[in-house]
Each structure stands twice: as C-alpha cells, then as structure tokens.
Amino acid sequence: MPRLPLPRYNLDRFRRQLASVDALPQLCVLGVVSGLITGGLMVVFRLLLALGALVFLPGGNPEAFEGLAPAARALLPLLAVALIGLWLWRQPVAGRQIGVAHVISRLTYHQGRFPLRNWLTQWWVGLISVLGGLSAGREGPAIHLGAAASSGLGQRLRLPHNSLRVLVACGTAAGISASFNTPIAGVIFAMEVVMMEYTITGFMPVILASTMGAVVAQAVFGFERPFQETGVALGSLFNLPWIVVSALAIGLLAGLFVRLARSGVRLDALPLAARFALAGSLVGVVAWWYPQVQGMGYDTLGLTLAGELSLDVLLAVAIGKLLLTAGAVACGIPVSIIGPILVAGGAAGALCGLLGAQLMPSLAAGPEVYAMLGMAAMMGAVLQAPLAALMALLELTHNPNLILPGMLAVVVAGLTARQLCGCDGFFISVTRHGLHPLQQPLMQALSRVSVPAVMERDLVRTRRRVTREQASALLEAKPIWVVIERSSDDKPALALKAADLARWMLEHDDDDKIGKDGKLDLLEIPGQRLDMAPIHLQATLSEAFTRLNDKAVDALYVEHGHRPKQKRISGIITRDAIERYYRYSDTPPA
C-alpha cells in the first residue's frame, strides 16, 4: 500500500509564514509555548520569594514584615539598597534598565530584543527589593522576565521581528497571569500598556499565552482568589457623585506620584550611593512605626478591603507607601510600582469611603467599596490604562457589581491625572505630537509584517562588467532585478531593471558598446538603477522604512545568513513596495 505524502514542516517555512501579517496559526503556537515558558519562570520566581522568606520572615511569608522587631524592619531596607546598589554599580548604565519601562523601550527601539545582562539583573533586583522590605511589587519582574524569555525564544529560532513583538506581548500577559491569576487583566495590560494597539492577530496568541501562564501557576499553587468580595455592591446611585469626588482626589494623588517619580533628574547630582541610602532610610523610618508600607502590600490590601485597618494605618499606606515608592524610583532604584499603587489606591479609596460615611451616613456605601474603586482608579490614572485597571478590579475581587462605578472612577481619575496634572502614562516618557512611537499609525501597520512578505525574490547577482554571453545567461532566469555588486564595500550596491538590460541587448546586437576586454559595463546601460543598502531578513517593514530614510537610498537588498562571508541576497524591497503594502494595494511588487 503506497504511503500518503506528509506535509513538510521546517523552520525556514515557519519563518516565512510568520513574516506575513496574517500568520495567526503560527503565532498561536508561539503563544502557547511562550505561556508555558513564562508560567514556569513565574513559578520559580515565586518559589524563590518563599524560600528567601523562610530565612528571616515569620512563617516564611514574604509580606510578614509586621512580625519583625522595629529595628530589624527599619534596617532591612538599608541592607536591600546596599545589595541592589552593589549589583548595579558593577553594571554599565545600559545594563541597569529593567522592568516595564525597559520592556517598552526594547519593543520601541530594538524590535523586542532583550539583553541577557538586564534579564539577570531583573532576577536579583526583583527578589531583593521585595524581600528587603522596600515598597515594591512583583509585577515588573514578572513582565520583564516573561517578555524577555519569550523574545529570547524567537531570537533563538531567528524568527522575523514582527513575531518578536507578539512574543513580547505574550510573555507580558503570561507573566501577569501566572503571578496574580488574572489572565484577562494580563491580556489587556499587554495590549494597552506594552503593545499600545489592539489587533486580532495580536489578541489571540496573547490570550493563549495568558491562559497557559495561569494554568501552570494553578497547577503548582492551586486556584487563588486574593480578594474575593462577591457580596459587596454599590447600594444607592446617590454614591455616584461622591465616587466622582473620590476619583478626582485619587487622580491628583496619581499625578503627584508620577511627578515625584520623574523628578529623579534633579537628584542625579548626588552620588548613586547617597541616593540609594536616602531611599532606604526613608522606608526604614516609616517602617519603624508602619511596616504596612513595606513589600508588595497585598496582605495590607486584603485588610483594607475587609475594613480591619485603623485610620492612621490607612493614611500611612495611602500617602506613605505612594510617596516611598515614587521616591525609590526617583532615586534610581528600579522597583516595580504596579502593586504599590494598587495598595495605596485601595487605602486612599477606603479613606474617601470613611469620609463619605460621615457626610451621608444613611446612603453611603461601605469603605470596602470605595477601597476597591480606589485601587482601580489609582492604577488607571498612573498607567493611563483604563481597561487594564477595570479588568484587574474584576479579576482581583470577582465582583461584577463594581464594574459600573469602577468605569466612572477610572475615567475621572485618569482625566484628572492627564488634564489637571499633565501626566501621560507612567511608562510613556517620549512622545511626538502627543503619541508614543508605538502609537504612530504608520509604524504600527509596518511593524506587523516583515520584509520577506513583500520583497521581490526574482533577481540575479552579477559583477559590474560581464560579457554578452554572461548577460544573456543572466536574463535566462527571467529576473525582475539585476543586482550589481561593486568592487568595494564603501560603494553602494545597485539594482538594474532586467527589462532595461534585455531591451539594450535587443537594440545593440553589435559590439560597439563592448570594451576592449570583451565585456559591457552594466553601469553604462540606460535604464532605471536604484542605490541600495543592506537589511537583514528578520527586519520588519518599519525597520526597512526607517533604513531607507536614514541611508537616503531607493531600495534595500535583503541579506540572509549570519556569517559575514556566507551571506546571500534573498530579495529586494523598494520604497514603492512598502507604500503599496501600507495602502493595501493588490498590485504585486515590481
């Protein structure tokens, strides 16, 4: 019985498929793998936190700073900043960049490629900052570690850069999902804060990655519901005006946080050791009386939602933790800010709820309602990510009753921080015409596809001078372009239309244009010639567009291979081909 032929799958074909804008099945496969890898990394990170807590924290709880003696918890941040500072001091300036801002920067300017040195730094700083009692969360490490590991998979397989972008989003979503069991919030955060765009091609792989990350975490730690408050409801619509006032106040606090965190330029005159000592000392002083400001603070947030914290502790968390986190960032300590702002926002919301109960004793909802709304409002205002904040509110509380007031609170707080305080999203530092480079519509569209999807492959390579027989042999392959290689690397390669060479061959059947050596000079042939610069096969159209402008050339030749002496030209991409793609023309590349 004859055997049925099986479809051939190989890595080169997989790469070619990924270069296209509609490579959804291939990206979904990568999303699943990315989620599994990131989920495993987050399990390791959480286990390392638990292992470190076993050494000196009561019950092996990474958040049990309240159980330490006042002197111990006050000195602990100083030890933490010393360990972090010693590590960072041995790194170059570029090697100190970690966290969400680093992920966005690498996606914006480096096509989603991450240095290993920064990845290792994130492990050290992430563990020490949380265990050392600084006001820090584990969200930044989760996002950086997951995004870099997922991108590293793509780099290892030499996948085109348009797929690296999606892998970064997959790692981001899976990291959040595996850390907090919030798969939907992970997806929205990845698309809204990191990718800054929404596409079907991006959503589906990211959803799969987030799902796999949650599955891995649940397989190890079980199904966790940190703040299950299903019985809490708004009660009366008369609370809505006070929710607006509360959100306005939280938006002002968010603006203060962003302004203070970005004031680090003024502290650059101080030595690194002095800045780190200042940040550690401030945390230590506050922690002597209020250890709730230390660490991630999710235990404190749980007590806030349960209404078990006193007024002075709520004030210390709402103001102290917020300012201590911003101060650490301003002093150059790369701590994660998402967890602390959630905790501080919850405390600020609870304070607003207590005040509302005094003003409207018969109508006001409980402080726990305002605490949950404050948590989402603070996150949405600081990050300028309203959907991510709403999804975090829903998944952390498992309470759909709060979505309606949550939408109002998030929008009011976000508008307050943006319009009254002039604050963009915390992680958006560079804008042009009000838009981050990742938000530019043209670059977004061109980043979704790589050059192999639109490059012209019908070409031949030759030296400048050839015989008539050699020229005829070149044309037998029916190329569209003839790539003319130059005698030295400092001279740009040229592309000649094969039709122009064929026309000249037909019109000149004599030898009057041939030199004494019996060869014709292709640079003397009348016709369209394009100056070219090289670009690698993995590049996106946005990279090609930028390189065309930077080199001031008309076309690029696409190199394939990694060894300098073994590189070959795979195709040509012209400016017209990029413009046709962007305009969704059906005309094939010329």
Side-chain angles (χ1 to χ4, degrees), residues 347-422:
L351 289 171
C352 292
L354 290 173
L355 181 58
Q358 296 296 319
L359 299 175
M360 302 180 297
S362 60
L363 296 175
E368 66 276 6
V369 172
Y370 285 88
M372 288 183 273
L373 298 180
M375 177 178 67
M378 183 68 78
M379 176 180 174
V382 170
L383 304 183
Q384 289 296 304
L387 285 179
L390 286 172
M391 289 301 100
L393 172 65
L394 176 63
E395 290 190 291
L396 288 174
T397 64
H398 294 267
N399 190 346
N401 299 325
L402 296 177
I403 291 298
L404 174 61
M407 293 168 67
L408 181 62
V410 166
V411 169
V412 172
L415 283 175
T416 301
R418 189 178 188 90
Q419 301 302 127
L420 296 185
C421 302

Side-chain angles (χ1 to χ4, degrees), residues 66-269:
E66 295 87 347
L68 295 176
R73 62 179 181 244
L75 292 175
L76 195 57
L78 291 173
L79 176 61
V81 296
L83 292 174
I84 293 173
L86 182 62
W87 179 283
L88 296 181
W89 175 70
R90 297 174 61 88
Q91 306 296 325
V93 175
R96 301 173 186 174
Q97 308 303 314
I98 59 174
V100 182
H102 177 65
V103 171
I104 296 175
S105 175
R106 300 301 298 187
L107 189 64
T108 306
Y109 303 109
H110 302 276
Q111 295 77 49
R113 303 168 73 93
F114 291 82
L116 177 61
R117 176 172 50 205
N118 299 64
W119 191 73
L120 296 175
T121 296
Q122 180 64 89
W123 280 97
W124 178 258
V125 175
L127 292 170
I128 298 300
S129 61
V130 173
L131 292 173
L134 297 174
S135 181
R138 66 175 186 237
E139 301 81 12
I143 292 166
H144 183 182
L145 296 177
S150 300
S151 173
L153 170 67
Q155 291 176 239
R156 184 74 175 176
L157 298 177
R158 299 201 300 273
L159 301 182
H161 288 172
N162 63 322
S163 60
L164 291 188
R165 297 178 72 252
V166 179
L167 280 171
V168 169
C170 289
T172 297
I176 295 175
S177 177
S179 294
F180 306 102
N181 198 31
T182 54
I184 301 178
V187 172
I188 301 300
F189 184 93
M191 305 303 292
E192 189 174 30
V193 178
V194 177
M195 292 280 283
M196 301 186 196
E197 66 174 351
Y198 297 100
T199 62
I200 294 296
T201 305
F203 256 123
M204 290 190 178
V206 174
I207 290 173
L208 286 173
S210 188
T211 302
M212 292 299 103
V215 167
V216 172
Q218 290 178 22
V220 177
F221 301 108
F223 186 73
E224 303 170 311
R225 291 186 176 183
F227 314 116
Q228 188 173 359
E229 301 288 345
T230 54
V232 176
L234 183 63
S236 172
L237 292 179
F238 285 103
N239 285 281
L240 293 181
W242 187 245
I243 288 175
V244 171
V245 175
S246 302
L248 178 65
I250 291 174
L252 293 174
L253 282 176
L256 173 64
F257 173 85
V258 175
R259 292 282 187 177
L260 180 59
R262 289 183 176 174
S263 65
V265 177
R266 303 173 188 173
L267 299 175
D268 284 345

